[in-house]
Amino acid sequence: MNMRIKKIIIVLALSTGLFASFAPKIIGIAIQQAFNADLLNEIAKQTNNRINITLSQINSSWFQTLISLNIEYRASTANETISAVADLNIDHGLFILETKQPKFGLASAEIKIKTDDSKKLAKTFNQMKLELPTLTSNLFIGINQRLEIAVEIPPLRAESKVFKTNSQGLIGEILFEKDRSVNAKFFIRQIDAQDLIRNSEVNISGLQLTVASEDLNRLEAPIEFSLVIPSIAIMGSTQFSARDVSAALEINDSDANDKSVNISQNISLPYIQTGFPITSLSWASEIKEVRYEIFEKYNQILSTIRLQARAAPLTAVAEASELGEEIGLLVLQNKLELNNFITGNIYDDENTVDLKFKFKGLPHLTNLDDLDTNELINHLVANLDISLGANAVKNSGFTTLIEQYIELGYIIDNGDRLNLNGKMQDSELHLNNTIISLDELFE
């Protein structure tokens, strides 16, 4: 090997070694600077002084930093200040030894938050008996600036004169990427809640929630929610139980318009037991071409309420109402498509409802007071298809009423299925072969 190349390799190796040796100290200094008064004061400012954090202790060595924070929360519903202590044990990178396996990263931290003010917190929530467990969280910052957070809440019990609840604990994992995307998973083993007044109880087993967003800073950014509940039961005056319950929500960029999104959801209850004649239910819906501005206006409403609700409630209500009207105007000005498909096993037979709306939009509309009902209907196209099982109709006891609609031509009898096909277009309502003018109804 060429001597010059050997020297370059030796220099690079020494430089890398020196950097790795000094990196823990550099990271420790950066951590100390991060917990400055300006940052802590900003937290108080953003929460209207309801949350105040002060630095109680900070000790730093070459490879580790220990930080203790005092947290005070001023409750809005009671004249109480609740105190807590947060202890942070931070290991400096680049080489971090963890119980499972070593990792390369900037820092790893174990965070514990505890309070002795459970009685004060109980007073805040209507004299509720509450023993708060210590909240434990583990945080890891990778070299690529990836942030991993693991949260664990031990079993929690709470009781008041009105209700009693018992949670078997929560486990959560949150991943923040450098590009501001986030993935999160939360799992609760068991939740039991009792209404002591109505003598009813709810049991939820194994709730799991997952969230994935492409950009946490944008409300309209593509995002996915999913919820899975293996079993849920309600006992009391109303008896209800279900298994394998799932729900999903997705927001994705629209292909038709670069300034709008599509929102879809799916709710499924495949196994139901209740006092009503229904054994399964599912609902899939989709809203297309929802404008970004609607999310922005909605965010403004939340910000207005949060910042002005207590200082100037009347002003907050007025501004929120005005923004609400602007949202309504945006909806009417732009195209919109809504699709719904519902299916359920009712009275021992499958029944479906397929409902679709297409709105052409009223771009010339500048004031809600100028809205013309007939023009609105003329710009709306709707399709409705209902399919009922003949056995379901027979068992429901509505046979006589359905026969009347069959005679009028509103429902078509196809033997084992009863169908209603409806369409609204050009200010006309079509029910199978019957046509009704909508202009006459709104004159």
Side-chain angles (χ1 to χ4, degrees), residues 173-443:
E173 295 180 359
I174 310 172
L175 303 178
F176 294 94
E177 302 290 354
K178 184 179 179 180
D179 60 1
R180 296 183 298 187
S181 63
V182 61
N183 287 273
K185 293 181 180 180
F186 301 95
F187 176 73
I188 300 177
R189 298 181 183 91
Q190 181 79 27
I191 301 176
D192 300 316
Q194 289 181 270
D195 187 327
L196 302 178
I197 303 299
R198 297 180 177 84
N199 193 27
S200 61
E201 185 174 352
V202 178
N203 304 121
I204 300 175
S205 175
L207 184 150
Q208 181 173 309
L209 173 68
T210 60
V211 182
S213 173
E214 289 190 7
D215 189 342
L216 198 60
N217 293 342
R218 291 173 49 223
L219 281 175
E220 74 282 1
I223 190 170
E224 295 180 8
F225 291 90
S226 70
L227 175 68
V228 176
I229 303 176
S231 67
I232 180 172
I234 301 175
M235 293 161 284
S237 57
T238 300
Q239 298 289 328
F240 172 87
S241 65
R243 292 184 291 114
D244 299 335
V245 178
S246 64
L249 173 67
E250 292 185 15
I251 299 177
N252 294 301
D253 292 326
S254 173
D255 295 331
N257 192 315
D258 60 356
K259 293 184 179 180
S260 63
V261 298
N262 297 337
I263 304 173
S264 61
Q265 71 167 17
N266 198 315
I267 300 173
S268 176
L269 294 87
Y271 305 102
I272 301 174
Q273 288 184 342
T274 180
F276 301 97
I278 177 171
T279 56
S280 68
L281 180 67
S282 68
W283 173 31
S285 67
E286 181 182 36
I287 306 176
K288 292 185 175 182
E289 297 190 56
V290 182
R291 303 286 293 185
Y292 287 166
E293 293 97 323
I294 293 177
F295 291 92
E296 295 170 359
K297 297 294 182 183
Y298 180 73
N299 192 36
Q300 289 180 32
I301 290 177
L302 296 181
S303 299
T304 299
I305 294 174
R306 181 174 62 87
L307 296 175
Q308 300 187 27
R310 295 187 64 83
L314 294 179
T315 302
V317 171
E319 291 185 10
S321 299
E322 184 177 345
L323 289 169
E325 291 182 2
E326 292 180 17
I327 290 177
L329 190 60
L330 280 170
V331 171
L332 292 173
Q333 287 174 336
N334 296 279
K335 294 180 180 179
L336 195 65
E337 184 176 339
L338 175 63
N339 302 316
N340 287 276
F341 184 76
I342 302 171
T343 179
N345 191 300
I346 307 173
Y347 288 108
D348 298 323
D349 211 338
E350 186 178 274
N351 305 273
T352 63
V353 176
D354 190 356
L355 178 61
K356 298 178 181 178
F357 285 96
K358 283 187 178 181
F359 181 59
K360 301 176 183 178
L362 302 171
H364 63 278
L365 185 66
T366 58
N367 193 314
L368 290 178
D369 294 333
D370 298 331
L371 177 63
D372 183 270
T373 306
N374 288 325
E375 184 182 21
L376 174 66
I377 294 173
N378 192 46
H379 281 68
L380 181 66
V381 177
N383 291 274
L384 173 64
D385 292 313
I386 299 177
S387 179
L388 305 176
N391 290 331
V393 174
K394 180 180 178 181
N395 296 330
S396 69
F398 294 103
T399 305
T400 303
L401 180 62
I402 295 297
E403 287 177 350
Q404 294 178 7
Y405 286 119
I406 293 174
E407 291 178 2
L408 292 172
Y410 296 151
I411 295 178
I412 297 176
D413 187 351
N414 291 317
D416 59 343
R417 308 294 299 176
L418 301 177
N419 298 297
L420 183 151
N421 304 114
K423 183 175 182 179
M424 184 173 69
Q425 186 175 10
D426 299 328
S427 297
E428 289 184 341
L429 177 62
H430 299 249
L431 290 176
N432 296 324
N433 298 321
T434 304
I435 300 176
I436 302 173
S437 174
L438 296 176
D439 290 337
E440 299 176 0
L441 297 178
F442 292 95
E443 285 182 354

Side-chain angles (χ1 to χ4, degrees), residues 28 31-35 55-60 65-68:
I31 291 172
Q32 292 181 66
Q33 292 177 347
F35 286 87
L55 183 63
S56 172
Q57 183 180 4
I58 182 167
N59 296 317
S60 185
T65 298
L66 303 177
I67 298 174
S68 184

